[in-house]
Amino acid sequence: MPAGHHRLNPCRRKPMSKNFDNDLISRLYRKIRLIRRMEEVVAEIYPSDKIKSPVHLSIGQEAISVAFCDPLRRQDVVSMTYRGHAAFLAKGGSPSGMMAELYGKRDGVAHGIAGSMHLVDMDNGILGASAVVGTTIPVAVGYAMAIKMRGEDRVVVCFLGDGATEEGVFPESLNFAALHGLPILFVCENNGLAIHSPLSNRWAQPDLCRRVEGYGVETHRFEDMDTIVLRAWAAERIEAIRTGASEGPIFAECPTYRWLQHVGPNDDHDQDYRDAGEAAHWRGKDEVARLGDALAPDMRSAIDEEVEAIIAEAVAYAESSPFPQPGELNVGAYA
Amino acid sequence: MTAYKEAVRLGIARAMRADDDVFLFGLDVDDHLGIQGTTLGLAEEFGAKRCFGTPLSEDAMTGVAIGAAMAGMRPIHTHIRMDFLLLCMNQLVNIAAKAHYMFGGQVTVPMVARGIIGKSWGQGAQHSQGLHSLFMHIPGLHVVAPATPQDAMTCMMASVADNNPVVFVEHRLLYNREGPVDISAGASTIGKGRVCREGGDVTIVGISNMLHDALKAAALLEQANVSAEVIDPIWLAPLDMDLITRSVEKTGRLIVADAAWTACGASAEIVAAVAERVPGVQVARIGFAPTPCPTTPSLEKAFYPDAVTICVAAMRLAVPEASIPPFAAMAEDMQQDPVFKGPF
Ligand SMILES: Cc1ncc(C[n+]2csc(CCOP(=O)(O)OP(=O)(O)O)c2C)c(N)n1
Ligand SMILES: [Mg+2]
């Protein structure tokens, strides 16, 4: 983790209005802080080779997962990508189960089979992630269809990257979800990149929402990544889908920025494929710091301590869990 | 000595220099990592018109390659993992493979689809598959899996020059393997394999990266007084059945080791084709364990076969009564295989 990300340029950061509910802010801060610190710790551990799994860190992008998962109930469902640590933790996935999974240990959420790219926790409404871009989008739609068929009031939130919108399954899934009025909210985390490829190399029409609207889907494009703003909108629209006040699907495009390399624990701005000024801009409005600053210092440090304890426990759990034994290779190959 | 990844790059570059209709496209072919080095410098040498990245649209891009090929171009479509070729399946199988036949010979589809088999560092279930046999099953497709730098270069040139669609199988653990490359060599002959080591007791066919395990196994088996003949088929479709059959007629025993599952796999096909030609042949197939690939290193070891797996199979076929020597310990004294370190 690059040092100094908490020492931000103060003039760039909008102070948070003190009118917001302190409970809400402390809840959001606890989550975003947990995610940031978990990933920082993953990055610290990585050079030791204890985590032999490709890790796609979401550092810089966490606010979106936090905001969209906060209004969800445990029975609601998220679908996420291989860049899924943030959504996993935000939806209530176990930090210890995640860390053990990254270590390839038996007590990981998938017993070491999944690694970082396929996190899953069905008890907490987390559909397993796929490393093949876009494949989870229709699966999330199918889950939403089953919810509707069974007359349940659950909602699916489907996270996807900007690159995933280029796969054929994206428009195919949108069309079907719209045709059937399914209870699903698509959340595009637009970090402007697919690995190293900028949007300008991939999209002839940069107005993604306009394309999505063409399928008969309600859309909303956020101008900025502000946890409180995202969360308020998400809460309102998720409830509207749940109660039937609005028919799904709904599509939200959230601008964001990936601070680190596409895969791996390091900064890669030295590789010259993206603009360092942009990085400074985004680091200057870090949502972890911004939410933290909105809390009373003693409350903030109490949360920070709590988070460190959770992470220390997760690391200890991962360290002490055994590896699966070779004889267990076949377990689960068929249901 | 030249690394395999550099040889792939040389093969592409030579094909592009020889024919202006050849172009290279696919996700990330023009970024600064250049598909693990196999496409570095090509955008600079040939320009963005002939070397370009695409949106994440493998299905459509395969169709685009087919259309361009029908129009007279020779596209090389690159995928950083073979698993992504599953998104190309419809276009490759339903159009590319059949067009020349189905359209009465009015069109050809001279295109190459490159796919890289991933292994190690927790590639997991979706970044590690060896899917070449799916393509071998389809009439109209050629499939090639070179295992040495020299073959990587000459097979790439042959694949580009081929008037049929070719699935070009690479393996990540081959990339840093070095070998001599004769830079003046021309395109390889389609469908021609090679005997890499002569022996009389057992024939071992090693596919893609497994060729190196087969060669290592042969060296270990020699210490156990078992003489193994090692064959690199190089092309999986068409297969050099004459070469393999001649060897098995001599040894009477056949092991096929593949970087893929065995069920309905290249190993099954080779074994069956030999059984049809050589009565009484004793056979064994070696490949991935019949599960998806796990990420944890402790299970990866059980999932993948290696030189020792081959040695044990060879002993059972050739000298079933003999006890199995400590091949794993013996292998430690040999040159170690290249290891791969992440993050990807
Ligand atoms: C079908 C498929 N094609 C290509 C890849 C290689 N790949 C992995 S991540 C990625 C970029 C995806 O970009 P985006 O959807 O914007 O997500 P981000 O990584 O930015 O979060 C690509 C091309 C893949 N995993 N799956
Ligand atoms: Mg992106």
Side-chain angles (χ1 to χ4, degrees):
Chain A
M1 183 57 222
H5 66 284
H6 290 305
R7 289 186 295 279
L8 298 165
N9 181 349
C11 53
R12 281 227 183 85
R13 196 195 311 152
K14 269 185 287 167
M16 194 150 292
S17 152
K18 295 283 175 193
N19 295 337
F20 284 112
D21 176 352
N22 222 24
D23 283 354
L24 173 66
I25 294 180
S26 62
R27 196 168 72 230
L28 296 175
Y29 178 68
R30 183 177 283 108
K31 268 279 144 71
I32 202 167
R33 174 82 185 175
L34 172 69
I35 297 166
R36 172 67 56 86
R37 288 293 301 140
M38 270 290 275
E39 291 204 311
E40 286 177 351
V41 168
V42 166
E44 278 162 24
I45 293 171
Y46 209 77
S48 73
D49 293 352
K50 286 178 178 170
I51 297 173
K52 290 193 178 68
S53 174
V55 290
H56 301 76
L57 300 183
S58 55
I59 290 179
Q61 305 188 187
E62 308 94 330
I64 300 168
S65 290
V66 169
F68 280 87
C69 290
D70 186 71
L72 294 179
R73 302 174 183 169
R74 193 167 77 100
Q75 312 88 282
D76 290 328
V77 170
V78 297
S79 163
M80 62 196 190
T81 74
Y82 50 86
R83 197 180 304 289
H85 299 165
F88 176 86
L89 293 170
K91 185 60 175 58
S94 148
S96 294
M98 170 182 145
M99 194 64 91
E101 189 59 42
L102 268 59
Y103 270 66
K105 297 295 188 72
R106 190 193 274 150
D107 298 312
V109 289
H111 317 300
I113 301 291
S116 163
M117 298 196 289
H118 308 297
L119 291 177
V120 61
D121 184 352
M122 294 304 286
D123 284 345
N124 283 303
I126 302 167
L127 290 176
S130 169
V132 182
V133 174
T135 40
T136 42
I137 299 170
V139 176
V141 169
Y143 209 96
M145 184 180 77
I147 287 172
K148 185 167 181 183
M149 284 170 132
R150 293 174 154 185
E152 298 170 355
D153 68 350
R154 298 194 288 159
V155 175
V156 177
V157 170
C158 173
F159 293 103
L160 56 126
D162 46 286
T165 67
E166 294 149 27
E167 293 288 1
V169 286
F170 175 65
E172 292 174 27
S173 302
L174 282 178
N175 180 48
F176 183 82
L179 186 66
H180 288 273
L182 300 181
I184 184 166
L185 174 59
F186 298 101
V187 180
C188 178
E189 298 186 45
N190 186 349
N191 60 14
L193 289 169
I195 307 189
H196 309 116
S197 179
L199 289 182
S200 56
N201 284 357
R202 297 181 283 124
W203 294 0
Q205 156 58 279
D207 189 341
L208 173 61
C209 283
R210 207 174 116 193
R211 277 185 273 144
V212 172
E213 270 159 26
Y215 286 91
V217 176
E218 173 192 327
T219 65
H220 185 77
R221 185 181 192 283
F222 289 92
E223 291 309 316
D224 205 354
M225 190 178 67
D226 179 321
T227 318
I228 299 288
V229 172
L230 292 172
R231 194 264 165 206
W233 184 88
E236 200 271 314
R237 297 320 287 146
I238 287 167
E239 229 24 53
I241 294 176
R242 191 189 305 290
T243 59
S246 292
E247 213 177 45
I250 299 176
F251 178 88
E253 181 188 353
C254 308
T256 187
Y257 191 75
R258 191 189 82 218
W259 287 15
L260 304 181
Q261 59 192 151
H262 169 71
V263 53
N266 301 312
D267 186 291
D268 68 351
H269 284 84
D270 58 340
Q271 292 182 16
D272 269 357
Y273 69 92
R274 53 179 175 166
D275 180 35
E278 206 182 15
H281 167 77
W282 281 93
R283 280 172 186 256
K285 51 202 196 75
D286 177 23
E287 284 295 294
V288 181
R290 204 162 149 259
L291 287 165
D293 287 350
L295 292 170
D298 56 338
M299 178 178 258
R300 180 181 187 166
S301 54
I303 293 174
D304 289 353
E305 266 174 47
E306 198 187 310
V307 161
E308 293 311 307
I310 292 170
I311 293 171
E313 189 187 310
V315 173
Y317 183 81
E319 292 272 348
S320 65
S321 171
F323 279 108
Q325 290 303 299
E328 295 169 62
L329 177 62
N330 283 318
V331 176
Y334 292 90
Chain B
M1 297 295 255
T2 304
Y4 184 100
K5 61 186 175 194
E6 171 62 9
V8 171
R9 205 189 72 82
L10 280 171
I12 297 171
R14 287 186 60 194
M16 291 179 80
R17 281 172 208 147
D19 182 348
D20 287 346
D21 289 333
V22 180
F23 69 95
L24 173 79
F25 77 135
L27 287 166
D28 312 315
V29 296
D30 56 353
D31 76 8
H32 60 283
L33 301 184
I35 312 291
Q36 330 229 326
T38 61
T39 63
L40 280 181
L42 298 174
E44 287 75 8
E45 180 173 350
F46 299 102
K49 229 172 101 184
R50 292 179 67 197
C51 177
F52 55 94
T54 69
L56 282 77
S57 310
E58 290 88 348
D59 183 1
M61 291 308 110
T62 308
V64 165
I66 294 170
M70 285 178 176
M73 306 294 286
R74 291 184 177 271
I76 306 172
H77 191 198
T78 296
H79 304 271
I80 200 155
R81 283 290 172 275
M82 192 175 206
D83 313 69
F84 307 153
L85 279 174
L86 291 172
L87 283 87
C88 312
M89 212 67 181
N90 175 46
Q91 291 289 339
L92 283 174
V93 174
N94 278 327
I95 300 285
K98 297 173 175 51
H100 182 259
Y101 184 78
M102 186 167 76
F103 299 139
Q106 293 189 34
V107 292
T108 55
V109 184
M111 63 171 286
V112 179
R114 293 176 59 204
I116 303 164
I117 301 173
K119 179 178 172 182
S120 74
W121 207 265
Q123 292 298 290
Q126 299 173 330
H127 275 48
S128 59
Q129 298 173 90
L131 300 171
H132 32 282
S133 77
L134 301 185
F135 301 100
M136 293 168 66
H137 187 65
I138 307 299
L141 294 181
H142 282 163
V143 183
V144 63
T148 65
Q150 176 75 28
D151 289 339
M153 181 187 77
T154 60
C155 289
M156 178 59 74
M157 291 156 63
S159 300
V160 173
D162 190 355
N163 282 333
N164 299 288
V166 181
V167 175
F168 194 96
V169 182
E170 299 162 44
H171 192 294
R172 182 168 81 177
L173 293 195
L174 288 172
Y175 276 171
N176 289 326
R177 278 198 183 267
E178 302 206 327
V181 170
D182 172 6
I183 186 73
S184 64
S188 72
T189 307
I190 292 171
K192 232 180 138 25
R194 176 186 304 117
V195 174
C196 298
R197 176 188 172 119
E198 294 192 8
D201 296 330
V202 58
T203 300
I204 306 174
V205 175
I207 295 171
S208 183
N209 192 43
M210 288 307 286
L211 175 70
H212 301 284
D213 295 271
L215 287 166
K216 193 168 170 184
L220 290 167
L221 285 164
E222 188 175 278
Q223 298 177 43
N225 293 318
V226 172
S227 156
E229 179 143 306
V230 177
I231 291 183
D232 180 357
I234 308 175
W235 294 82
L236 298 175
L239 269 167
D240 193 345
M241 284 317 301
D242 289 344
L243 181 82
I244 300 171
T245 304
R246 266 200 309 279
S247 173
V248 180
E249 277 168 347
K250 177 174 69 175
T251 63
R253 302 183 186 90
L254 171 66
I255 294 173
V256 184
D258 194 4
W261 291 292
T262 56
C264 302
S267 61
E269 175 56 28
I270 293 170
V271 159
V274 168
E276 285 173 339
R277 291 165 173 80
V278 186
V281 59
Q282 284 181 276
V283 298
R285 287 179 290 154
I286 289 173
F288 298 166
T291 68
C293 179
T295 64
T296 183
S298 74
L299 294 184
E300 259 184 358
K301 265 191 226 112
F303 177 81
Y304 286 110
D306 59 13
V308 173
T309 327
I310 298 172
C311 287
V312 171
M315 293 296 288
R316 295 227 168 99
L317 287 189
V319 277
E321 65 288 350
S323 60
I324 307 280
F327 287 118
M330 289 152 64
E332 274 166 25
D333 300 335
M334 301 176 67
Q335 200 194 344
Q336 295 304 303
D337 299 326
V339 285
F340 184 87
K341 219 168 118 44
F344 181 69

